[in-house]
Amino acid sequence: MQTMRNQPTGPRTWQERVWLIVLQLLLTLVLITFLTPTLWMVSSSLKASTEIFTHPIQWVPRQPEWENYVKIFELQPLRTFMVNTLIIVFFAVIGTVLSSALVAYSFARIRWPGRDFWFGLLLATMMLPDVVTLVPRFLLFKNLAWLDTFWPLIVPHWFGINALYIFLMRQFFRGIPLELEDAAAIDGAGRLRVLLQILLPLSLPVIATVAVFALLQHYNDYLNPLIYIRSRELWPLALALQAYNDAYVKNWELVFAASTVMVAPVLVIFIIAQRFFVQGIALTGFGGR
């Protein structure tokens, strides 16, 4: 035991130290590359129109134009668009997490005829582009009189339609010891109670991962609202941003300000959930049973 405690925990050779330094520099350069467009967008949102496309790039505005953010709320009903987005994203994410958990629990814990075949078929749907089912879905929602409502953007996600999320949750559930479930069964707990009171509380990392993925998917969705929503008062932020781009193409500072408002909430949520997100991605690759 004393020998194990004395073993070095850091890099043992100078080659490893050099490799870590090179890797750190490389990752820093990649980070700067990804952040540069975002920083330029935020900077441009505070500039006057004449400062945006100056050469060389002026990163810091001479006089920050904070009224650009006031104008985007005055020119378009941005608050209405934000509320619409919140409604769609909230209920779609809740439905995605719950339905994916139910389906994943069935594939991970319940033995039924053809389970592995249907799971393989489910994974095969990941190779099917959404555009292939676009027309049948449109006709279905049209017959249900759901066009120009939020229902086509919310209801389908309550039925476990995303194979990736189901796969992530299934892998995580398989890594939880069966003894916990057996002990609960001895105490008289049913399948649903085991899922809600045992598996889900232990699965916060993968739930956060699926929630973040689903949030980004629904928050940035442009095609589906464009197809199913006609009324302007029902637009989400994705369609509203396109409206700013079309109407104020000569006032790029307003477009960048609207883009910053749209990006900011997602960035904050990702920073808050980052720990669970990374942990969920790391653990879902290790299925123990």
Side-chain angles (χ1 to χ4, degrees):
M1 182 65 67
Q2 185 67 28
T3 304
M4 294 179 61
R5 289 180 179 177
N6 293 333
Q7 289 180 352
T9 58
R12 299 179 180 179
T13 63
W14 67 269
Q15 292 94 336
E16 291 180 353
R17 293 190 181 95
V18 172
W19 167 246
L20 288 177
I21 294 174
V22 172
L23 184 61
Q24 186 69 38
L25 291 175
L26 180 61
L27 292 177
T28 303
L29 291 176
V30 172
L31 176 64
I32 294 174
T33 302
F34 278 103
L35 286 181
T36 297
T38 303
L39 295 176
W40 185 74
M41 177 188 69
V42 176
S43 174
S44 299
S45 69
L46 296 172
K47 296 178 182 177
S49 300
T50 56
E51 294 181 309
I52 294 178
F53 297 108
T54 57
H55 184 76
I57 296 176
Q58 183 178 340
W59 290 98
V60 180
R62 295 188 181 92
Q63 182 67 34
E65 302 285 342
W66 295 103
E67 59 270 16
N68 290 340
Y69 287 91
V70 178
K71 290 180 181 178
I72 62 175
F73 284 91
E74 295 175 347
L75 297 175
Q76 297 281 352
L78 190 59
R79 291 184 181 87
T80 301
F81 300 149
M82 295 173 70
V83 172
N84 295 339
T85 304
L86 180 62
I87 294 173
I88 295 172
V89 170
F90 178 78
F91 288 104
V93 170
I94 294 296
T96 299
V97 172
L98 291 179
S99 62
S100 299
L102 287 171
V103 178
Y105 177 72
S106 175
F107 282 123
R109 296 301 207 192
I110 303 176
R111 294 188 178 276
W112 42 276
R115 182 188 67 173
D116 295 336
F117 168 78
W118 288 108
F119 180 68
L121 187 62
L122 175 68
L123 294 182
T125 61
M126 296 174 63
M127 297 182 289
L128 188 67
D130 288 339
V131 69
V132 174
T133 60
L134 184 60
V135 174
R137 282 186 286 125
F138 179 84
L139 295 177
L140 174 64
F141 296 141
K142 180 181 179 182
N143 293 332
L144 293 173
W146 283 3
L147 296 183
D148 204 26
T149 67
F150 292 152
W151 297 120
L153 307 177
I154 296 175
V155 173
H157 302 285
W158 284 79
F159 293 92
I161 63 173
N162 195 298
L164 174 62
Y165 304 152
I166 296 173
F167 172 77
L168 290 175
M169 285 195 164
R170 173 186 178 270
Q171 293 301 103
F172 197 95
F173 289 163
R174 286 169 60 88
I176 297 176
L178 284 172
E179 289 76 12
L180 296 176
E181 188 174 345
D182 295 337
I186 293 175
D187 291 337
R191 294 286 188 182
L192 186 60
R193 185 179 176 185
V194 168
L195 174 63
L196 296 178
Q197 296 187 359
I198 297 179
L199 292 185
L200 290 185
L202 295 174
S203 305
L204 290 181
V206 72
I207 291 175
T209 301
V210 171
V212 170
F213 275 142
L215 185 146
L216 293 175
Q217 173 191 348
H218 301 303
Y219 191 81
N220 294 322
D221 189 10
Y222 175 79
L223 180 61
N224 289 309
L226 181 65
I227 294 173
Y228 300 123
I229 295 181
R230 302 172 184 173
S231 302
R232 186 168 177 267
E233 59 270 14
L234 296 179
W235 280 2
L237 282 173
L239 293 182
L241 187 59
Q242 182 62 40
Y244 280 101
N245 191 30
D246 293 339
Y248 310 109
V249 67
K250 294 184 179 180
N251 301 98
W252 282 101
E253 69 278 6
L254 301 181
V255 177
F256 290 134
S259 302
T260 302
V261 169
M262 184 174 178
V263 170
V266 178
L267 184 61
V268 172
I269 292 174
F270 183 81
I271 293 175
I272 294 174
Q274 182 181 12
R275 179 170 62 90
F276 294 104
F277 179 76
V278 174
Q279 187 179 1
I281 289 294
L283 294 180
T284 49
F286 300 94
R289 298 180 185 272

